[in-house]
Amino acid sequence: EADFETRDVYFSGKGSTVLSKEFPDMTMYQARAGVAPYRGDYNSLNTWVVMQAQYFPTATPNQILIGPMMRFYIKNVLWEFGVNTRSGWNFNFMVHF
């Protein structure tokens, strides 16, 4: 996983594989690109508009999911949500200690 982030732009990419004896193996590749519509300081709400693409080559059939995400953070709390081309929802929540 790697990312590049400034106060104005955001890019990330990652790949992962889960191997299991009980379930089919799953591989996923993800890319994101985003922009901040305004610059907020550390103590105020920061917002990002992000486009996300995911590719699942081991899925049957192979799947590519694309969709917008909204990413928010204030101080050490980050949350994001979005949708994709299969009408699926994404939600992530993270607190940095």
Side-chain angles (χ1 to χ4, degrees), residues 46-62:
N46 289 267
T47 304
W48 293 86
V49 179
V50 178
M51 184 57 80
Q52 174 176 278
Q54 295 175 306
Y55 174 53
F56 297 87
T58 55
T60 306
N62 295 352

Side-chain angles (χ1 to χ4, degrees), residues 10 17 19 62 71:
Y10 167 72
T17 299
L19 304 174
N62 295 352
R71 185 177 209 210

Side-chain angles (χ1 to χ4, degrees), residues 74-90:
I74 185 168
K75 296 184 180 181
N76 64 330
V77 180
L78 177 140
W79 65 99
E80 55 190 18
F81 63 90
V83 296
N84 63 45
T85 50
R86 297 255 186 203
S87 298
W89 287 89
N90 296 311

